[in-house]
Amino acid sequence: MKITLLTIGKSAFPFVKEGLAMYEKRIARYTTYERIEIPALSGTSSLSSTEVKEKEGELILKKIKPSDEVILLDERGRSYSSIEWAHFLEKRLNNSTKSIVFVIGGAYGFSEKVYQAATSKLSLSDMTFSHQIIRLFFTEQLYRAFTIIKGEPYHNE
Amino acid sequence: MKITLLTIGKSAFPFVKEGLAMYEKRIARYTTYERIEIPALSGTSSLSSTEVKEKEGELILKKIKPSDEVILLDERGRSYSSIEWAHFLEKRLNNSTKSIVFVIGGAYGFSEKVYQAATSKLSLSDMTFSHQIIRLFFTEQLYRAFTIIKGEPYHNE
């Protein structure tokens, strides 16, 4: 299993980058993991919000292969407990040809085409978190899932 | 309104400290805010998990005044959307004598006495997050709530 985290927008805050680096180093012990950051179009152009969403959607779709399982991080997605989430990943873990791409959208969300290309939607919280913070939450939960799957202690330090 | 975040365990990771400092600086523009970190007892003593929970509970209760509204961050608590959460705070905002204490427990959770002293329970996610990470989530949501209440833009940079 290979896991990719695809984000619209670069990781802006130093603390987010540091946190991501820490959890990604831990995740690398368990699976092949890659983060791809697509620069955001919002704020950089004279496009409308719909146009930004469409164009960012095209950039997302370019990075996705037809065989990929595509999971959007979306407020309207399904909520999991950490244990359910670990089971979700565990089912896919022994399939070495499987690639899962998790996608964090831009400021205006996903285009209809991206929704159509997606296999499912995952919600980390009922609350809305910034696109910066959510990537940190996601990688922490990915690390946590592997400690649950492998029955290993979660390192809080 | 004064808001206190009471945590068991110090903020261990540099990235957590940096993130907290950033959001707390923003929160200070809106309200009186304080974070009190009580050193954790787990791992430092030969106490059982129940004993740790009891003793940490006593340390928590020492910091709470009878007039405080005490809200535990607890997986079994109520979930809010960011908008509902902002409304929750807004109702309390104009009461200058009001003090709210949010509490993040230790590795073994809260003692019965702490549950009894609490006014309510708040859940940020169905997922379990580390005690380190959850304080970062909380302060981000506190900052976000104030931007919603005041109708101000959320600064992603």
Side-chain angles (χ1 to χ4, degrees), chain A:
Chain A
M1 182 174 66
K2 186 194 165 186
I3 295 179
T4 302
L5 175 62
L6 192 60
T7 70
I8 290 291
K10 295 196 171 293
S11 297
F13 300 130
F15 84 85
V16 171
K17 286 186 206 171
E18 286 165 36
L20 288 176
M22 191 187 85
Y23 291 116
E24 288 172 353
K25 199 176 158 191
R26 295 176 178 198
I27 292 164
R29 293 202 298 262
Y30 302 107
T31 195
T32 308
Y33 178 83
E34 186 187 16
R35 171 163 41 100
I36 300 173
E37 299 187 345
I38 299 169
L41 293 175
S42 59
T44 62
S45 66
S46 57
L47 300 172
S48 72
S49 59
T50 310
E51 287 167 332
V52 165
K53 217 159 70 172
E54 290 298 327
K55 288 216 179 285
E56 286 177 346
E58 286 165 24
L59 297 171
I60 290 169
L61 294 173
K62 265 190 201 164
K63 298 286 185 189
I64 292 169
K65 287 193 245 1
S67 61
D68 291 342
E69 180 169 357
V70 178
I71 303 175
L72 308 182
L73 273 75
D74 189 287
E75 281 169 69
R76 291 171 293 170
R78 190 180 149 185
S79 301
Y80 293 83
S81 71
S82 295
I83 302 285
E84 289 166 344
W85 163 237
H87 287 162
F88 176 92
L89 285 173
E90 194 174 19
K91 271 193 224 157
R92 287 149 177 87
L93 197 61
N94 300 319
N95 188 338
S96 61
T97 60
K98 191 93 191 170
S99 275
I100 310 183
V101 181
F102 292 93
V103 191
I104 297 175
Y108 306 118
F110 299 110
S111 70
E112 211 40 59
K113 281 181 190 155
V114 173
Y115 278 117
Q116 282 162 17
T119 321
S120 60
K121 299 192 290 278
L122 163 70
S123 166
L124 296 188
S125 171
D126 290 344
M127 290 174 160
T128 306
F129 286 94
S130 86
H131 300 115
Q132 292 296 316
I133 280 285
I134 205 77
R135 55 191 77 181
L136 199 51
F137 294 13
F138 173 78
T139 51
E140 197 264 347
Q141 282 303 308
L142 196 55
Y143 162 62
R144 180 177 293 273
F146 282 112
T147 65
I148 294 169
I149 293 167
K150 302 287 182 186
E152 290 178 8
Y154 180 97
H155 289 286
N156 243 326
E157 263 129 69

